[in-house]
Amino acid sequence: MTPVKVLAATAIVAMSLLARQGAAQTAAADSSPWSFTFAPYGWLTFISGSQTVAGQTTAVNTNAFEMFAQSQSLITFMAYAEARYQDRLGLFVDVMYANLTAGQSATRGFFLPGISGSAVSSVSVNYETLTLQFGGAYEVVKVGPDRGGEGPGMAGVGQTAFDVTLGGRWWYQRVDMTLNFFGSVTVNTPNLQLSANRSQVFANSGSIGWVDPFIGFRVRHHLAPGQRITLEADMGGFGIGSRISAEAQLAYSLEFGNAIGVNWAGVIGYRALYVDYTQGSGSSFFQLNQLQHGPLIGVRGRF
């Protein structure tokens, strides 16, 4: 055998060994009992209810679009992460943070015979909120036939898994509100001249935090290759933190590619979150009775 043929045969054997090694590594990675998911997302909320800070109650009726339009600054961060073992036991954390600054001012003048004046007022509000959900999920049962023998990507298609979830929801809120008022009045009559000015600044700030335990369920359905539907709901508070807090979410995910060893998917869905919490009395009374709901959209990476 010539040296060229020997080198060619050696190269073929080496490439074959490398291919087998790569396949073995891929199979080993696929057979790993652990999987990890990270999903940044945006939640376009509609908010209704009421909030009381230091005994002062304000009705809340707004949405994400109005907050973007009226805010001087708006910083948000939302992300979900979960680690699953053998696709049966999951540990998860969900972070929702927002910091909103808004302001408004108004000027009004008036004139009556012998009397003139003006009033100027401005209000600025800084609203910071953080909701951190954490807990675990355990698969109780999985129903449906395993269609893995029908071809690539068919493993698990058509199956539905039912999980029980248990965890906590930590709420933190801080509200800073400042009101400035300036008014002037001038009175001119044949026998009297009077000018009065008054300036007043009212500032109100408060922060509060509490933890709600919750229990719930999750339904995971493998709709088609690369397509999944997830329904989950929970209820918590039970008077330990809030009087009641509840959440429900429906999401659909569609895989669109694999890069840097991560399986990527787009996620769309709808989410609702309700809480009724009270604390203190009199001037220190705090209450949050609020429903947030709206569509969500995100990207999920799984590896």
Side-chain angles (χ1 to χ4, degrees):
M1 183 178 290
T2 64
V4 174
K5 292 183 178 179
V6 172
L7 289 174
T10 303
I12 292 173
V13 172
M15 292 175 64
S16 177
L17 291 174
L18 288 173
R20 291 180 182 179
Q21 183 179 7
Q25 291 176 347
T26 302
D30 292 340
S31 63
S32 172
W34 286 97
S35 64
F36 302 91
T37 298
F38 177 73
Y41 65 90
W43 187 19
L44 302 177
T45 57
F46 293 80
I47 306 173
S48 61
S50 63
Q51 182 162 12
T52 302
V53 179
Q56 303 298 314
T57 301
T58 302
V60 179
N61 187 12
T62 186
N63 56 68
F65 307 100
E66 290 182 352
M67 288 189 288
F68 275 108
Q70 299 175 2
S71 303
Q72 296 173 347
S73 67
L74 179 60
I75 302 172
T76 62
F77 175 78
M78 302 176 185
Y80 177 87
E82 181 173 353
R84 293 192 67 88
Y85 180 74
Q86 293 184 344
D87 202 34
R88 296 204 65 184
L89 176 64
L91 301 174
F92 61 86
V93 61
D94 191 354
V95 180
M96 295 176 286
Y97 174 81
N99 191 318
L100 166 68
T101 302
Q104 188 173 9
S105 62
T107 303
R108 224 175 148 178
F110 57 90
F111 176 78
L112 293 172
I115 303 175
S116 63
S118 65
V120 180
S121 66
S122 66
V123 60
S124 62
V125 178
N126 180 260
Y127 179 72
E128 184 179 21
T129 177
L130 171 65
T131 305
L132 178 66
Q133 298 185 158
F134 55 90
Y138 180 76
E139 182 185 295
V140 178
V141 64
K142 181 180 288 185
V143 297
D146 186 0
R147 299 172 58 185
E150 297 182 14
M154 292 299 296
V157 171
Q159 291 186 325
T160 303
F162 296 86
D163 296 348
V164 173
T165 59
L166 183 68
R169 198 161 24 236
W170 178 54
W171 305 78
Y172 171 83
Q173 289 203 345
R174 180 176 179 86
V175 181
D176 292 320
M177 182 170 60
T178 304
L179 176 66
N180 302 282
F181 173 80
F182 176 80
S184 66
V185 178
T186 303
V187 179
N188 295 309
T189 67
N191 300 317
L192 177 64
Q193 288 191 355
L194 174 65
S195 179
N197 295 277
R198 184 176 179 183
S199 178
Q200 181 181 11
V201 177
F202 172 74
N204 181 14
S205 65
S207 61
I208 196 73
W210 70 94
V211 177
D212 286 337
F214 69 79
I215 184 170
F217 69 91
R218 181 189 296 171
V219 180
R220 298 176 289 126
H221 179 66
H222 199 156
L223 182 65
Q227 301 181 54
R228 300 173 187 268
I229 295 178
T230 304
L231 170 67
E232 54 186 302
D234 65 67
M235 182 170 291
F238 311 117
I240 299 173
S242 63
R243 289 190 290 186
I244 185 174
S245 66
E247 181 184 30
Q249 176 177 299
L250 177 66
Y252 166 79
S253 65
L254 174 63
E255 297 177 2
F256 58 81
N258 190 295
I260 59 173
V262 179
N263 189 12
W264 298 98
V267 181
I268 59 172
Y270 202 91
R271 184 183 205 173
L273 177 61
Y274 173 76
V275 62
D276 183 6
Y277 175 81
T278 59
Q279 176 181 296
S281 61
S283 61
S284 63
F285 181 67
F286 177 92
Q287 181 183 34
L288 179 65
N289 190 319
Q290 183 174 278
L291 171 64
Q292 303 178 66
H293 65 95
L296 59 84
I297 184 170
V299 178
R300 186 206 68 197
R302 188 173 183 270
F303 57 96

